[in-house]
Amino acid sequence: MLHLNSSATHVIGHPAGAVPGAVTNGSERHTTRYRSLPLTVQYPCRLPKRLREMIVAMVLFSFFMTLRLSYNFAADTMRPMITGQRGIVAAGRHYSVSGGVRMLEQGGNAFDAGVAAVFAAAVAEISHFGFGGEAPVVLFDAQSKQVAVINGQGPAPKGASVELFKSKGKIDANGPLGATVPAVLDAMTLVLEKYGTMRLEQVLQPAIELADGFPMYEYLANVMKAEKKNCEPWKATMETYYPDGRPPEAGEMFRQPNLAKTLRAIVAAERDHFRRHKHRATALRAGRDLFYKGSIGRAIVEANRAAGGVFTYEDLANYQGRLEKPAMTTYRGYEVYKAGPWNQGPVLLQTLNILEGFDLAGMGHLSTEYIHTVTEAIKLAYDDRDAYYGDPDFVRVPMQGLLSKTYAGERQKLIDRRQARLDHRPGDPYRHENGPQTTLRSPYLPHAEGSKGTIEIGDTTGVNVVDQSGNLFSCTPSSGWILGGAFIAGDTGVPLSNRMQAFVLDPRSPNGLVGGKRPRTTLTPTIILKDGRPFLAMSTPGGDNQDQQILNVLLNIVDFGMDVQAAIEAPRFNSQHMFASFDNHADNPGSMDIEDRVAPGVIVALRAKGHKVNVKPAYGISTGITAVGLDPKHKTLRGGADVRRERYIFGW
């Protein structure tokens, strides 16, 4: 309220320096959306009271209109949170979203829609992901009220070995030797068989139409222009992506006829089996088997070996993904589910366990203390990832100890509030395992490999779906990307995986390369429940950043009460302290990224604590989160999509 006093000077703004969207913590002020604009109104004491009131009213109106036009309130976002009651689909491109929405409109469930969106992404998001890559899934089945994992990561071919790459000092990031066994079709078929209602003929239709041709969009056109030289070593890649010898332009029709032929062949095999046997599950497998055991698989192997790869027919014919139990922890009343230690997902669970012992809300959002504490917890969890995680078919991973709350309590004590640690500090989780205990006093410590030159980075996408029954689907499809040069397997039109580079050459590592072993992937879909009920499905591209960025958003929702879209758009920070999962596995101790919307004083204070801070532009941290789920209060659907990397979402 503005009190008029004939001799007063009035300040129109916020009391005691408070700023909407800001948190005051001691001497620090942290502005998240806009700065206060105190306005001084002075007027002569002899003006009539009515005139004085009119002047103040006009100034107030002008001030708030200026504020509305020039600044966003804390609750405002660049995009709205999506709401609905029938379904919401979120993905990396509008083409992928459309594929999923079509299945929901035809009566399919979230799993049918998720599979269709993944297949569409394999055609239209080839900067991020291709049909020969991988697609781990975590899902919540509303009927059984269970969370499950579809292991969508293919293994190394049996012929892969350390000796193949020893002279290079690192594993190939691209090309015929960079590929693990394609896992996408197998994983999606398993989702349909166990949880879906549709057949491949239905869910592949949007992808087939896109392979027949779609108008090129600007982002992909720019990537293809930049990567043309890297694709030139492989004839089939150039014929597929640059048929006229040039990159396609935005708006131009872009066609992949060989991939369309492959997809149609899969559908034809399924349709023929279903026509004869009227059994959906076995028909699904018939379509899948054409790819892994039939003519398509043989063509993939032949193309790979002709170019110097080591694929065999047995690698594809014997491959079988599987249904697995998720890893899980609780955080402030929420149940968070991830894939197992063949995946980096448990680092999110470990980090949450560590942070549960701190009053993050009391520290203040994006305060120095908050960012420092969260970053130090991230570093401890990732140090354990690098020391212990690997394919559990080949190595023993002490998951019970790693995820125990008592172990987290030990790790909490290692966080020094005064300074950042620059060393790597894996713990000893074996002491927290039930049954026979093995105390490992000297955990594996990784090291960088190969040259310190340009690091090959890849890309990924994400698909998240919720339907009116409360089913949740979260997938992080990846590999087969154009970045660095895609290798397309002959006339199949299928770009092969780039995931071999996630292995390391040190045989002592739990993630050391062995033929037939799965690399520890960064792909990390997420399901979150509240009191056993569906809450969110979340995923993002970003390599080693993925679980950190999901953590940023989850803490914004749980600890700071933001809605989904506001939580996604809020300023982010990200550690690069861990050994990188790609290429030469670089080590950058103490390095962290932070977006420049965080208060400058906080950045200065973090550097004073020893963090090696790299300031990124607004929305500049490499990620692209989408999240969909149920509003626990109203039981309606909601979702959000990142402005980073132009994520897409639709619901109704």
Side-chain angles (χ1 to χ4, degrees):
M1 179 180 295
L2 180 62
H3 298 284
L4 297 180
N5 185 306
S6 61
S7 60
T9 298
H10 298 290
V11 178
I12 302 172
H14 305 283
V19 184
V23 176
T24 302
N25 183 17
S27 61
E28 300 168 353
R29 178 183 290 179
H30 317 297
T31 326
T32 60
R33 300 304 292 183
Y34 67 91
R35 294 173 298 145
S36 170
L37 295 179
L39 178 62
T40 301
V41 183
Q42 294 180 317
Y43 43 83
C45 63
R46 291 187 177 88
L47 284 176
K49 179 179 179 181
R50 183 175 179 81
L51 183 56
R52 293 200 308 268
E53 291 176 342
M54 289 177 61
I55 292 172
V56 171
M58 291 172 63
V59 171
L60 278 169
F61 178 81
S62 176
F63 167 72
F64 284 113
M65 285 303 295
T66 301
L67 190 66
R68 181 177 180 83
L69 292 172
S70 303
Y71 298 92
N72 288 324
F73 287 92
D76 284 351
T77 52
M78 295 175 69
R79 293 177 171 181
M81 184 176 73
I82 294 294
T83 57
Q85 62 182 130
R86 288 192 57 190
I88 299 178
V89 181
R93 287 290 141 185
H94 57 294
Y95 293 125
S96 309
V97 171
S98 175
V101 169
R102 285 170 61 178
M103 299 306 108
L104 292 176
E105 290 178 333
Q106 293 170 22
N109 62 20
F111 311 121
D112 301 314
V115 169
V118 169
F119 284 147
V123 180
E125 296 186 46
I126 52 177
S127 58
H128 300 75
F129 161 59
F131 196 73
E134 52 269 345
V137 175
V138 185
L139 56 83
F140 172 75
D141 175 35
Q143 184 174 1
S144 65
K145 295 180 170 54
Q146 297 294 312
V147 177
V149 171
I150 305 295
N151 188 323
Q153 174 59 59
K158 287 288 182 65
S161 67
V162 170
E163 287 69 31
L164 267 177
F165 304 99
K166 204 167 187 179
S167 63
K168 302 176 183 179
K170 63 180 183 179
I171 298 169
D172 289 15
N174 299 85
L177 286 173
T180 51
V181 173
V184 173
L185 179 59
D186 174 85
M188 295 302 101
T189 302
L190 193 53
V191 172
L192 289 177
E193 180 182 344
K194 299 295 184 182
Y195 301 100
T197 67
M198 292 181 163
R199 296 187 3 237
L200 288 169
E201 182 172 11
Q202 296 161 287
V203 297
L204 272 171
Q205 186 57 32
I208 290 170
E209 293 171 12
L210 289 166
D212 284 339
F214 64 86
M216 177 58 61
Y217 52 93
E218 186 174 6
Y219 180 94
L220 181 55
N222 290 337
V223 171
M224 294 184 72
K225 181 178 180 181
E227 296 297 331
K228 179 176 178 291
K229 185 175 181 180
N230 290 325
C231 291
E232 287 174 354
W234 300 296
K235 180 183 177 185
T237 303
M238 293 302 295
E239 290 175 346
T240 300
Y241 292 159
Y242 308 93
D244 299 324
R246 60 173 180 82
E249 299 176 358
E252 180 181 2
M253 289 299 294
F254 175 66
R255 297 177 174 85
Q256 299 168 75
N258 284 340
L259 181 57
K261 180 179 67 176
T262 291
L263 300 180
R264 284 192 168 93
I266 293 168
V267 166
E270 181 204 44
R271 184 191 300 126
D272 180 64
H273 187 283
F274 188 78
R275 186 178 295 132
R276 288 184 289 114
H277 300 284
K278 306 299 181 185
H279 193 271
R280 190 180 74 95
T282 57
L284 286 168
R285 290 188 212 118
R288 175 225 179 263
D289 286 350
L290 180 70
F291 184 90
Y292 289 94
K293 299 178 180 181
S295 58
I296 298 171
R298 293 183 186 280
I300 288 173
V301 170
E302 181 181 338
N304 176 268
R305 295 187 70 84
V310 294
F311 273 18
T312 66
Y313 172 75
E314 289 73 22
D315 287 325
L316 269 70
N318 295 334
Y319 174 65
Q320 182 67 61
R322 61 194 182 205
L323 194 66
E324 297 179 347
K325 291 184 178 180
M328 189 275 282
T329 197
T330 58
Y331 179 75
R332 307 200 199 283
Y334 293 82
E335 303 102 50
V336 185
Y337 294 85
K338 305 290 283 187
W342 52 268
N343 179 283
Q344 78 172 6
V347 298
L348 175 66
L349 310 182
Q350 285 193 248
T351 308
L352 290 170
N353 283 345
I354 295 170
L355 292 175
E356 198 168 32
F358 295 92
D359 180 12
L360 300 182
M363 294 177 185
H365 188 238
L366 299 179
S367 69
T368 301
E369 185 179 9
Y370 171 72
I371 295 175
H372 171 74
T373 301
V374 174
T375 299
E376 293 300 291
I378 287 169
K379 288 154 69 171
L380 291 170
Y382 273 82
D383 283 344
D384 279 346
R385 180 201 74 169
D386 293 338
Y388 297 111
Y389 291 18
D391 185 344
D393 289 347
F394 285 76
V395 295
R396 181 189 172 194
V397 183
M399 282 301 294
Q400 184 182 15
L402 288 166
L403 296 182
S404 73
K405 299 288 188 177
T406 55
Y407 179 63
E410 287 185 2
R411 303 294 272 164
Q412 289 165 9
K413 298 172 185 176
L414 297 178
I415 296 178
D416 187 337
R417 296 178 65 178
R418 299 165 299 176
Q419 66 177 15
R421 292 294 294 263
L422 303 184
D423 52 338
H424 295 287
R425 298 180 290 167
D428 183 4
Y430 284 100
R431 293 189 298 107
H432 301 271
E433 295 266 290
N434 289 337
Q437 296 183 5
T438 303
T439 300
L440 185 63
R441 296 298 180 188
S442 300
Y444 172 74
L445 292 175
H447 54 85
E449 297 180 345
S451 167
K452 288 189 177 181
T454 301
I455 297 176
E456 183 66 52
I457 57 173
D459 216 328
T460 300
T461 189
V463 172
N464 292 286
V465 185
V466 60
D467 65 22
Q468 60 189 348
S469 299
N471 294 308
L472 296 174
F473 174 94
S474 181
C475 183
T476 313
S478 190
S479 275
W481 54 60
I482 290 178
L483 298 181
F487 175 79
I488 289 183
D491 63 3
T492 66
V494 176
L496 295 187
S497 158
N498 316 78
R499 194 58 55 174
M500 280 285 291
Q501 63 182 303
F503 282 116
V504 299
L505 294 176
D506 188 343
R508 298 171 300 167
S509 168
N511 188 37
L513 171 60
V514 177
K517 182 180 180 181
R518 289 167 294 182
R520 188 203 69 219
T521 179
T522 57
L523 309 174
T524 177
T526 312
I527 292 292
I528 303 164
L529 307 183
K530 182 70 168 74
D531 301 323
R533 297 173 181 173
F535 183 71
L536 278 179
M538 301 174 65
S539 63
T540 180
D544 294 314
N545 302 353
Q546 289 183 26
D547 280 297
Q548 300 185 65
Q549 296 306 292
I550 290 171
L551 176 70
N552 273 234
V553 174
L554 183 56
L555 296 179
N556 289 343
I557 294 170
V558 174
D559 288 272
F560 296 98
M562 297 184 191
D563 70 41
V564 175
Q565 188 64 35
I568 290 172
E569 289 192 24
R572 305 252 190 91
F573 55 94
N574 190 78
S575 176
Q576 300 294 349
H577 174 83
M578 70 291 299
F579 286 86
S581 291
F582 298 99
D583 199 65
N584 64 10
H585 305 288
D587 180 21
N588 296 292
S591 178
M592 69 176 297
D593 300 330
I594 194 163
E595 293 181 348
D596 65 7
R597 291 182 294 151
V598 173
V602 170
I603 294 172
V604 170
L606 289 168
R607 284 176 171 151
K609 288 181 181 291
H611 296 279
K612 300 176 182 178
V613 181
N614 308 304
V615 179
K616 299 287 187 179
Y619 309 102
I621 286 181
S622 178
T623 187
I625 287 180
T626 59
V628 302
L630 269 69
D631 181 328
K633 180 179 179 180
H634 302 291
K635 307 299 186 288
T636 52
L637 310 183
R638 62 178 180 172
D642 221 329
V643 296
R644 303 165 182 87
R645 298 212 205 180
E646 305 171 358
R647 303 289 93 178
Y648 288 79
I649 187 168
F650 179 79
W652 78 109

